[in-house]
């Protein structure tokens, strides 16, 4: 029992996979079909917009018909959506039953029921679509045949109309009928002409292309009633009632035509007999008339031959003049072509010279700019070298001057140290020689010092002597002497 349940479960999973694959394939085909329909719709809109100003009335009818077709497509689209939603809900319900459940006989039966329902829905949907496609294909074939018939009919409009020699025009038909009655011709001969005059001519009121299509189908079926269905395909502008009426007309036409043939045959026999009786009487008259006629014919032939020679001479002269004109035009055309080529060649040469001159000017300007740039670089390099040389000399001179000043200061410092040393030595000697004893004098503290006395001395008038010193800002040691 457990094995049967597992087997049923696996078969259900395989069925689910098969349904998923079918669904995916159907959706892919539907997307392709939708893309093709959208492409055809765009092409149709472009063509309609291009011809809207040419055929406004016909395009108005086409737009109304297209609107009706669009409504039908929208309705069919909604129905398809509903069927697809129904199938999708069945598949989802089938998937929900397979989620986290244990395989039991009851579950398997329920899955089989759901699977059968979904499969029936899919089969019904496919059958409906198949029937719909078959119907559309049949309509497409019918439409293609009608379009081909209309195209052939339109092509016949541009062909020259051939007048049937057996059918006289309306005015001449009446004259022939009256004349035939006066001459005693059988009424069967005039009955067909009167019938054609009253019923619309040799084609019974139809155009030549429709009549040919009708006769082709009529001949194929030998006039059997089965031809009417196919005739509706070849005659898209005619109804079944029109075809039946035309069939009655054609049968009557055949009947009258046959009677006319018999009457003409009988009339010819009578005329032959009468002609035999008059033949002998007419031979004498005809021989005289023949001789006179031959003379007239010979004279007319001579005149015609002369006219032909004159016409041939005029034609030859016209051809010669035309040949001369054509040769002159050809020569003029060749001359103009040669001049045009020469002008084009001269123009190309001038453009090439201008191009070369421009390139030479650009190259010369570039060389001049490079020369100026090189000269500027050399000048800047020389200026830099000169500045380095002057700076080096100045630095060397400054260093030599500072070195000399340093030596001078060192010598002065050494000289001062030497003088101080000698001074200390003299003072030491003096101290050794004279050791003076100084008594205490407290009053000395209140006496002015020697420096104060020098300051309080009377100073005479100034400004008369030379300026010994002028105070100014200090000059750095490295700038002294510049």
């Amino acid at each position: 029992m457990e094995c049967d349940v597992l087997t049923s479960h696996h078969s259900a999973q395989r069925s689910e996979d098969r349904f998923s694959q079918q669904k995916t394939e159907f959706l892919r085909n539907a997307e392709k079909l939708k893309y093709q329909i959208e492409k055809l719709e765009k092409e149709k809109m472009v063509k309609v917009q291009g011809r809207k100003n040419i055929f406004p009335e016909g395009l108005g009818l086409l737009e109304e018909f297209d609107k009706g077709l669009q409504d039908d497509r929208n309705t069919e689209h909604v129905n398809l959506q509903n069927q697809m939603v129904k199938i999708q809900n069945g598949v989802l319900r089938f998937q929900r039953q397979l989620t986290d459940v244990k395989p039991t006989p009851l579950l398997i039966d329920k899955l089989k029921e759901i699977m059968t329902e979904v499969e029936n829905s899919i089969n019904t949907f496919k059958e409906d679509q198949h029937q719909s496609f078959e119907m559309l294909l049949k309509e497409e074939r019918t439409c293609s045949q009608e379009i081909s018939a209309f195209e052939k009919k339109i092509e016949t409009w541009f062909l020259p109309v051939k007048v049937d020699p057996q059918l006289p025009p309306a005015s001449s038909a009446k004259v022939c009928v009256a004349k035939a009655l006066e001459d005693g011709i059988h009424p069967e001969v005039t009955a067909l002409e009167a019938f054609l005059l009253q019923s619309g001519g040799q084609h019974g009121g139809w155009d030549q292309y429709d009549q040919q299509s009708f006769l082709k189908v009529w001949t194929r079926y030998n006039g059997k009633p089965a031809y009417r269905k196919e005739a509706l395909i070849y005659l898209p502008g005619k109804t079944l009632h029109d075809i039946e009426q035309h069939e009655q007309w054609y049968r009557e036409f055949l009947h009258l035509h046959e009677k006319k043939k018999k009457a003409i045959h009988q009339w010819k026999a009578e005329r032959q007999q009468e002609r035999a009786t008059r033949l002998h009487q007419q031979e004498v008259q005809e021989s005289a008339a023949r001789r006179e006629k031959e003379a007239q014919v010979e004279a007319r032939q001579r005149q015609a031959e002369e006219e032909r020679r004159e016409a041939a001479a005029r034609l030859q002269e016209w051809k010669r003049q035309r040949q001369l004109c054509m040769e002159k035009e050809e020569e003029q055309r060749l001359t103009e072509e040669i001049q045009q080529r020469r002008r084009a060649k001269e123009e190309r040469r001038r453009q090439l010279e201008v191009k070369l001159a421009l390139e030479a000017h650009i190259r010369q300007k570039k060389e001049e700019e490079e020369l100026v740039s090189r000269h500027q670089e050399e000048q800047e390099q020389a200026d830099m070298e000169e500045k380095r040389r002057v700076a080096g000399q100045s630095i060397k001179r400054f260093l030599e001057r500072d070195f000399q000043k340093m030596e001078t200061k060192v010598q002065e410092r050494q000289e001062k140290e030497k003088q101080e040393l000698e001074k200390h030595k003299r003072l030491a000697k003096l101290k050794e020689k004279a050791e003076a004893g100084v008594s205490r004098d407290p009053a000395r503290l209140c006496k002015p010092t020697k420096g104060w006395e020098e300051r309080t001395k009377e100073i005479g008038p100034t400004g008369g002597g030379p300026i010994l010193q002028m105070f100014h800002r200090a000059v750095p040691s490295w700038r002294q002497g510049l």
Side-chain angles (χ1 to χ4, degrees), residues 25 37 53 55 145 193 207 229 242 268 315 325 352 416 440 481:
E25 184 179 0
I37 291 173
N53 297 326
F55 307 106
Q145 292 176 355
E193 297 178 357
D207 56 17
K229 292 184 179 179
D242 295 336
K268 284 182 178 180
L315 180 61
C325 292
L352 182 60
K416 285 182 181 180
R440 299 177 65 82

Side-chain angles (χ1 to χ4, degrees), residues 112-173:
K112 285 183 178 180
E113 182 180 355
I114 297 173
M115 190 167 54
T116 304
E117 183 181 353
V118 173
E119 189 172 3
N120 291 333
S121 299
I122 293 174
N123 290 332
T124 303
F125 177 73
K126 288 171 66 176
E127 186 65 27
D128 293 341
Q129 292 302 311
H130 181 71
Q131 292 178 0
S132 178
F133 290 156
E134 288 292 335
M135 187 179 298
L136 290 174
L137 288 174
K138 186 176 179 181
E139 291 180 358
E140 182 182 3
R141 286 194 296 269
T142 305
C143 183
S144 300
Q145 292 176 355
E146 291 179 356
I147 291 173
S148 300
F150 275 120
E151 288 178 351
K152 292 180 181 178
K153 185 175 181 180
I154 291 172
E155 289 176 359
T156 57
W157 293 351
F158 299 98
L159 297 176
V161 180
K162 296 182 180 179
V163 180
D164 193 352
Q166 297 179 358
L167 180 63
S171 58
S172 62

